[in-house]
Amino acid sequence: MDASFRTVIDGELVELPCTIAAIRAGMTPDQAAAFDREIDHVPAPELPVTLVHWALAGTAADDEDEALFDRLACGEDIGARTVTARPEVA
């Protein structure tokens, strides 16, 4: 069984593929070519974020994000907070 990313889209828990092969398998040939061009040059620390980006491509997550950004642009308070650094423990 392939590993999976888990996220919530439209209020539903969704499992997304999280191996390069599994993500590529769900793509059109054009998407796979773009993915391959990008993934070969992603620095290791950025690899998880890039894989999530590609795993979410074609899902309703993009629409959800766009709606949220529109709400934020209109000044809606969505309950987000500024995170401050914790004081260092001696």
Side-chain angles (χ1 to χ4, degrees):
M1 179 161 104
D2 281 333
S4 64
F5 292 119
R6 291 186 183 142
T7 191
V8 175
I9 300 174
D10 287 333
E12 298 288 325
L13 182 62
V14 177
E15 291 194 13
L16 302 165
C18 72
T19 65
I20 291 172
I23 292 169
R24 186 184 298 113
M27 297 177 173
T28 66
D30 288 342
Q31 290 170 323
F35 174 75
D36 289 341
R37 282 191 303 274
E38 181 177 344
I39 210 70
D40 285 345
H41 303 284
V42 174
E46 296 174 24
L47 194 54
V49 171
T50 303
L51 290 174
V52 168
H53 165 78
W54 282 98
L56 287 170
T59 69
D62 287 338
D63 295 336
E64 266 189 21
D65 288 348
E66 194 61 38
L68 177 61
F69 294 140
D70 288 346
R71 290 170 47 203
L72 290 169
C74 291
E76 183 177 334
D77 180 357
I78 61 166
R81 300 183 307 186
T82 301
V83 177
T84 57
R86 294 186 304 174
E88 296 205 20
V89 177

